[in-house]
């Protein structure tokens, strides 16, 4: 029973990381119709900004170093995502094929750039000791960082829902998706709202980058790419454009991976997740939430 509990909590922690990346993907695609294949670069930017900042803050205690480094990662992730929207995506809103080509090229180029500057070797950073300790629940020794990942994903899900449904900018963004010309005729600059969407997606990806560094104990140039693959699977299974659907799919994918890799064989979980994706595409192409472009979160 303790083993099953451990697998469940660690699977939820893995699913939480997938959701943090997938939430930005789902937000950007669901509201703006942009399939951003460079989203993994947002994660890498956040993770490396965190590592670089933390490595320079010597002489202070671990917790402030970790928190300041994490904050720097989120800020840099948001700024980078906003710049990508301003420079690369904004001229291509009506040209979807070019969007895919540009974002795929950016992802590949950014991995090469990071590798060229800091090398291919993983980078480690100091984290509070408590995160690498365990909590005993029902005989299972649960790594404490999994609780942080699960709690962070839950907070991000709640904040995104509140932003879209309860704030002025959330209403502007949703209205702009439905009828951009009408919103602009009212004197509202929809372009700023769309840039904000990218920035929020960049923050969510940067959070995943920081937490992935804690989860895997290091960060590497390819980390964003490998996690992005599963984030896309989560988005498709959950329903393109549905943040709630992405959350449910992330839980399913994380748990399936953990259970299968343990009870069957290491690596089988990845294959089962891909098989699950195929089944969803064949039986319910819109995903479990049945969302489409412009759907409600």
């Amino acid at each position: 029973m303790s083993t099953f509990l451990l697998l469940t909590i660690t699977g939820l922690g893995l699913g939480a990381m997938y959701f943090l990346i997938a939430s930005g993907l789902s937000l950007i695609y669901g509201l703006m119709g942009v399939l951003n294949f460079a989203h993994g670069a947002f994660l890498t930017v956040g993770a490396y900004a965190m590592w670089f900042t933390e490595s320079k803050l010597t002489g202070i205690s671990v917790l402030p170093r970790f928190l300041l480094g994490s904050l720097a990662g989120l800020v840099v992730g948001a700024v980078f995502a906003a710049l990508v929207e301003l420079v690369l995506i904004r001229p291509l809103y009506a040209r979807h094929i070019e969007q895919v080509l540009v974002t795929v090229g950016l992802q590949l180029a950014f991995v090469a750039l990071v590798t060229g500057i800091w090398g291919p070797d993983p980078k480690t950073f100091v984290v509070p000791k408590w995160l690498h300790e365990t909590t005993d629940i029902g005989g299972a020794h649960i790594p404490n960082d999994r609780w942080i990942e699960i709690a962070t994903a839950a907070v991000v899900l709640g904040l995104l829902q509140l932003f879209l449904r309860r704030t002025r900018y959330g209403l502007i963004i949703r209205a702009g998706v439905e009828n951009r010309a009408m919103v602009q005729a009212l004197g509202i600059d929809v372009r700023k709202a769309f840039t904000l969407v990218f920035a929020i997606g960049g923050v969510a990806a940067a959070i995943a980058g920081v937490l992935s560094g804690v989860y895997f104990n290091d960060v590497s140039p390819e980390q964003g790419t490998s996690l992005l693959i599963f984030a896309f699977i989560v988005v498709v299974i959950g329903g393109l454009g549905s943040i709630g659907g992405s959350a449910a799919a992330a839980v399913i994918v994380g748990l399936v991976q953990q259970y299968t890799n343990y009870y069957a064989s290491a690596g089988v979980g990845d294959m089962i997740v891909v098989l699950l994706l195929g089944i969803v595409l064949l039986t319910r192409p819109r995903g479990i939430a049945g969302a489409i472009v412009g759907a409600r979160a």
Side-chain angles (χ1 to χ4, degrees):
M1 183 62 185
S2 61
T3 299
F4 181 80
L5 181 60
L6 175 62
L7 292 172
T8 300
I9 301 300
T10 55
L12 290 174
L14 184 61
M17 259 201 310
Y18 290 157
F19 168 72
L20 288 170
I21 313 171
S23 62
L25 278 172
S26 185
L27 185 71
I28 291 169
Y29 185 81
L31 294 177
M32 302 159 67
V34 176
L35 198 56
N36 179 24
F37 285 91
H39 202 71
F42 299 172
L43 182 150
T44 304
V45 164
Y48 269 80
M50 191 280 178
W51 161 75
F52 183 81
T53 303
E54 183 275 333
S55 67
K56 301 300 180 183
L57 295 175
T58 56
I60 62 176
S61 58
V62 172
L63 181 59
R65 284 175 63 180
F66 178 76
L67 293 177
L68 289 173
S70 300
L71 179 61
L74 303 193
V75 171
V76 173
V79 172
F80 180 75
L83 288 174
V84 168
E85 193 276 338
L86 286 169
V87 177
L88 297 178
I89 303 300
R90 183 170 290 185
L92 302 175
Y93 273 122
R95 299 154 62 185
H96 298 293
I97 294 177
E98 286 88 342
Q99 288 175 5
V100 172
L101 294 175
V102 166
T103 55
V104 169
L106 177 61
Q107 176 68 31
L108 296 174
F110 192 80
V111 171
L113 178 63
V114 171
T115 304
I117 296 174
W118 289 293
D121 297 329
K123 307 296 182 183
T124 59
F125 49 80
V126 177
V127 301
K129 184 180 178 182
W130 177 83
L131 287 177
H132 285 160
E133 295 176 347
T134 60
T135 298
D136 194 335
I137 298 180
H141 300 288
I142 311 297
N144 289 331
D145 65 287
R146 304 310 192 262
W147 302 113
I148 299 298
E149 289 147 12
I150 294 169
T152 302
V155 169
V156 169
L157 174 61
L159 290 177
L160 286 176
Q161 297 284 14
L162 286 174
F163 169 75
L164 291 171
R165 299 178 186 277
R166 302 296 181 185
T167 67
R168 178 175 180 272
Y169 261 106
L171 295 174
I172 289 172
I173 291 166
R174 293 167 64 191
V177 171
E178 297 294 336
N179 194 327
R180 181 171 180 171
M182 180 61 71
V183 174
Q184 288 178 322
L186 295 173
I188 299 172
D189 190 352
V190 179
R191 295 175 301 176
K192 292 182 180 179
F194 285 0
T195 302
L196 179 61
V197 170
F198 260 81
I200 292 172
V203 169
I207 293 173
V210 172
L211 293 179
S212 69
V214 178
Y215 187 99
F216 297 111
N217 297 315
D218 57 46
V219 295
S220 63
E222 298 286 349
Q223 201 154 290
T225 303
S226 59
L227 288 172
L228 182 65
I229 294 172
F230 290 102
F232 267 115
I233 291 175
V234 164
V235 169
V236 174
I237 292 176
L240 289 169
S242 173
I243 294 175
S246 292
V251 170
I252 294 171
V253 169
L255 291 176
V256 166
Q257 273 190 294
Q258 290 294 88
Y259 291 149
T260 310
N261 284 336
Y262 181 82
Y263 290 111
S265 178
V268 175
D270 297 351
M271 182 183 69
I272 296 298
V273 168
V274 174
L275 180 61
L276 177 62
L277 172 65
I279 293 172
V280 170
L281 288 174
L282 289 173
T283 60
R284 191 176 178 85
R286 290 185 176 182
I288 58 178
I292 58 175
V293 177
R296 312 310 178 267

